[in-house]
Amino acid sequence: MRRKPALGVSAVTVALAMGLAACGGTSTTPQSSGEPGQPAAADKADAALTGVFNPSTKKGGTIKMANSGDWDSLDPADTYYGYSWNFIRLYGRALTMFPGKPGAEGAKPVPDLAKELGKPSADFKTWTYTLRDGLKYEDGTPITSKDVAYGVARSFDRETFPNGPTYLNDLLDWPKDYKGPYKSKGADFSSAVETPDDKTVVFHLKQPFSGFDYLTQMSVTMPVPQAKDTGTKYQEHVISSGPYKFEKNEIGKGFTLVRNNQWDPATDPNRPALPERYEVSTNVNADDIDNRVISGDLHVAIEGTGVQPAALSKILPDPALKARTDNPTIQRLWYTSINPTVKPFDNKDCRIAIQYAADKTGYVAAYGGTTGGEIATHLLPPGIPGSQKIDLYPSPEGKGDLAKAKEHLAKCGHPNGFETNISYRAERDKEKKTAEGLKESLARVGINVTLKPYPLKDYFSLYAGKPSFVVKENLGLAINGWGSDWPDGYGFLQQMTDSRVIREGGGSSNLSVRIPEVDKMFDQVLQEADTAKREAIYAAIDKRVMEESVILPGIVAKSLLVRGKGLTNVLINDGQQMYDYVAMGIQ
């Protein structure tokens, strides 16, 4: 399944203004209170887009969720799916967080473990956080600043934890040759993260970054007690710092969360913690999930990417079912990576041939028509500051320009086409349909594609995100999707287009962009305090990536979500861009 600028007090103001400008949404008065003894709010389409549907303070009950695949990981150091970042706030607390509030308010970081937002130095290279009083783990032991620092340090080890963002790896002033607490056991890493006492965490950056509070809401700042750390097995029982803890966890099947009686609501103004428990099933057929949410057997399709095409045929003609849906436009791009490390895509004209040969109406169809998205011609979705209309490879109604495709095939020495493979996440039927649509449209100019499905859980760590595997298996094309880590150009673009986040051992969020000029532009952004100039750089990055044709934009995403029966406090905010799981309750 989040922001930035630099230098001077004005830059902080700019950062906050960017967050507000990037986020739409207003609050409206709900239809009814949803309190015990009163009727629930009447279903109405898009009721959770602008306010809270069926608000309630009632505690108790079980929320049932399902995932069509498996988690990349439940470990806070090793997870990067949007739904996981949303859900992990139930059992983990970071220094800051996106609160469960509708619209723009849900994308403004607020203190979580920390008493206040971070206090920067004048040059924005040092950030200090002070922990709240009374913080405890599920076993009653106190949470200290050293646990936060240890959690950040273990996330540095991307061989052990291949998933997860690399912002802190790249920005903090780590010791030379530091490899994390396992491989550099006992090494002093206070040059990056310092803990002068049990309540204080100090981050030391190599360069200014005035939006640092957006980074500390990520799960890598969730505390991990070193004495309880079991490395790669830690995901089997994460020690809770939040209102819920694991009752059982069967990797590959599912898990159950129950109340953590050591969590003190007085230390946590952001989590209402209404349900008594959460029951989560994994590796469940996506169509079955939709049917069970519609029938009331499940409450939430946890991935938050919208119903499958089969369910659309039931929902859209039925006014009662349609009234239970919300259809947000989200800051997400569904796209296909074009790998220049795989022949013949080392030749730019062969990559450009893909741009012209692809029929993007297949993308729209795969995601359920206009409820699933609109054709994209570049990377930055509308609504993210810096987004400009870029269309370097125009085609009638997005259906392709076969004459242009053949022209570029001839230029790259393959006038009759060539063969390549395309990967997608096996559990995601929409991605399978997308791959099938691309196979059909590319065949029109002699580009013959073989489909290669891989499991969602390890898609980035072992397959499409592992450069050696990509070359070995001839994965010239890789179905992909990206949502903003926070809603501005840096929070959207950096982890998908900066070549320095590519991990040779796997876990890369950037699958295909290796442009030194783009890397330099990201460095330039870090030093630029002027909003308009930063946004111009984001647009330039977008255009430069499109010029190299290493990404085929598919659609700017929308998702048709179905509200489960009996849910309370249902809302969509700009921080999660799906239903906010921290806010939810159940009647």
Side-chain angles (χ1 to χ4, degrees):
M1 250 343 177
R2 310 182 210 245
R3 199 143 335 222
K4 125 158 263 33
L7 305 184
V9 175
S10 61
V12 173
T13 305
V14 165
L16 294 175
M18 287 169 63
L20 292 173
C23 306
T26 56
S27 205
T28 59
T29 303
Q31 292 170 298
S32 75
S33 69
E35 291 295 328
Q38 297 185 20
D43 286 320
K44 181 181 179 183
D46 291 337
L49 293 188
T50 55
V52 180
F53 175 79
N54 201 17
S56 175
T57 58
K58 179 185 175 183
K59 292 192 174 186
T62 299
I63 289 183
K64 298 179 180 181
M65 300 175 155
N67 186 344
S68 68
D70 202 357
W71 253 250
D72 49 1
S73 176
L74 293 164
D75 190 315
D78 198 29
T79 186
Y80 209 168
Y81 278 116
Y83 68 83
S84 180
W85 281 13
N86 186 356
F87 187 86
I88 201 171
R89 298 173 303 152
L90 294 169
Y91 62 88
R93 296 180 66 179
L95 288 172
T96 61
M97 70 177 288
F98 287 148
K101 296 182 179 180
E105 291 300 304
K108 293 164 61 177
V110 298
D112 189 7
L113 286 179
K115 289 181 180 179
E116 302 171 313
L117 294 177
K119 294 181 179 179
S121 60
D123 63 0
F124 291 94
K125 291 175 67 176
T126 302
W127 286 80
T128 302
Y129 295 83
T130 303
L131 301 188
R132 300 177 190 268
D133 295 329
L135 300 171
K136 294 180 181 179
Y137 290 110
E138 65 179 70
D139 61 4
T141 59
I143 296 170
T144 72
S145 59
K146 292 177 176 58
D147 300 331
V148 175
Y150 180 75
V152 173
R154 68 196 292 273
S155 75
F156 184 86
D157 183 351
R158 289 305 175 198
E159 290 183 15
T160 303
F161 305 115
N163 303 302
T166 65
Y167 296 109
L168 297 184
N169 294 43
D170 301 333
L171 288 169
L172 295 180
D173 190 15
W174 297 98
K176 184 180 179 181
D177 298 326
Y178 185 69
K179 300 182 185 302
Y182 310 134
K183 298 181 179 69
S184 301
K185 192 170 184 178
D188 179 8
F189 56 87
S190 59
S191 62
V193 192
E194 185 183 3
T195 54
D197 57 53
D198 283 349
K199 287 291 186 67
T200 307
V201 186
V202 184
F203 295 95
H204 300 285
L205 283 65
K206 292 181 291 187
Q207 53 197 343
F209 193 102
S210 66
F212 199 72
D213 287 325
Y214 289 99
L215 303 187
T216 55
Q217 61 80 27
M218 295 178 183
S219 61
V220 293
T221 73
M222 290 177 176
V224 175
Q226 186 171 359
K228 299 288 181 72
D229 184 16
T230 53
T232 56
K233 290 185 175 294
Y234 187 66
Q235 70 155 330
E236 297 174 11
H237 187 168
V238 177
I239 307 301
S240 172
S241 54
Y244 297 93
K245 64 182 180 180
F246 288 90
E247 180 182 59
K248 70 173 183 177
N249 182 13
E250 298 177 276
I251 302 295
K253 294 182 179 180
F255 54 87
T256 303
L257 297 184
V258 295
R259 289 196 184 279
N260 171 14
N261 61 10
Q262 295 297 317
W263 171 77
D264 183 354
T267 71
D268 192 345
N270 303 307
R271 295 169 176 82
L274 297 179
E276 198 65 26
R277 61 194 284 122
Y278 291 81
E279 295 178 358
V280 181
S281 302
T282 58
N283 291 310
V284 181
N285 178 273
D287 289 323
D288 289 345
I289 292 174
D290 290 342
N291 290 333
R292 291 171 63 188
V293 172
I294 289 170
S295 70
D297 183 47
L298 283 173
H299 300 110
V300 179
I302 201 164
E303 289 159 275
T305 54
V307 300
Q308 307 305 308
L312 285 175
S313 62
K314 301 176 185 177
I315 293 169
L316 295 181
D318 186 330
L321 287 179
K322 190 174 181 181
R324 291 172 54 193
T325 66
D326 298 285
N327 190 205
T329 297
I330 55 181
Q331 293 159 1
R332 176 175 290 276
L333 179 74
W334 297 117
Y335 65 95
T336 300
S337 299
I338 307 174
N339 285 302
T341 58
V342 175
K343 293 183 179 298
F345 294 124
D346 55 340
N347 186 304
K348 184 163 77 170
D349 282 297
C350 280
R351 302 195 298 267
I352 292 175
I354 296 292
Q355 302 282 354
Y356 283 119
D359 180 354
K360 295 183 184 179
T361 62
Y363 251 105
V364 177
Y367 281 82
T370 56
T371 61
E374 299 177 355
I375 288 174
T377 60
H378 60 105
L379 309 187
L380 279 172
I384 291 186
S387 178
Q388 296 180 9
K389 182 67 175 176
I390 300 170
D391 190 0
L392 302 185
Y393 313 105
S395 67
E397 299 177 337
K399 295 181 179 180
D401 185 330
L402 302 188
K404 280 283 191 182
K406 291 175 181 177
E407 175 187 326
H408 285 277
L409 283 173
K411 285 183 179 180
C412 76
H414 292 272
N416 299 316
F418 52 84
E419 294 186 358
T420 193
N421 295 331
I422 184 169
S423 67
Y424 65 92
R425 286 170 278 198
E427 301 90 339
R428 294 196 168 180
D429 189 55
K430 295 173 185 176
E431 293 191 2
K432 179 184 178 184
K433 286 182 169 60
T434 297
E436 290 170 343
L438 285 174
K439 175 182 173 72
E440 183 177 342
S441 64
L442 297 180
R444 298 180 298 176
V445 295
I447 300 174
N448 296 315
V449 174
T450 299
L451 273 59
K452 297 284 186 176
Y454 300 108
L456 179 154
K457 173 180 169 59
D458 298 316
Y459 187 70
F460 296 99
S461 59
L462 299 180
Y463 306 109
K466 188 171 185 176
S468 59
F469 184 88
V470 166
V471 173
K472 177 176 176 287
E473 297 299 320
N474 197 36
L475 299 184
L477 304 171
I479 304 292
N480 203 353
W482 191 257
S484 60
D485 285 345
W486 64 88
D488 89 328
Y490 194 96
F492 186 87
L493 287 171
Q494 194 267 340
Q495 292 279 301
M496 69 182 286
T497 63
D498 189 325
S499 71
R500 293 165 294 190
V501 308
I502 294 175
R503 305 169 194 167
E504 295 304 322
S508 304
S509 51
N510 172 4
L511 304 189
S512 61
V513 185
R514 301 168 183 260
I515 308 172
E517 184 183 351
V518 167
D519 298 349
K520 291 178 182 178
M521 284 192 276
F522 282 119
D523 292 340
Q524 182 183 351
V525 162
L526 290 172
Q527 304 296 329
E528 182 54 70
D530 183 88
T531 305
K533 290 180 180 178
R534 272 197 318 276
E535 292 174 3
I537 295 171
Y538 300 143
I541 291 171
D542 192 345
K543 184 177 180 182
R544 189 72 188 88
V545 174
M546 291 308 305
E547 286 172 345
E548 287 299 312
S549 187
V550 285
I551 286 178
L552 170 71
I555 55 175
V556 176
K558 298 183 73 176
S559 56
L560 189 72
L561 306 174
V562 178
R563 298 188 293 270
K565 292 181 178 180
L567 288 176
T568 64
N569 296 335
V570 184
L571 62 93
I572 294 170
N573 59 35
D574 294 346
Q576 306 305 328
Q577 299 180 53
M578 61 182 77
Y579 292 140
D580 192 296
Y581 301 147
V582 162
M584 274 184 178
I586 186 74
Q587 291 176 334

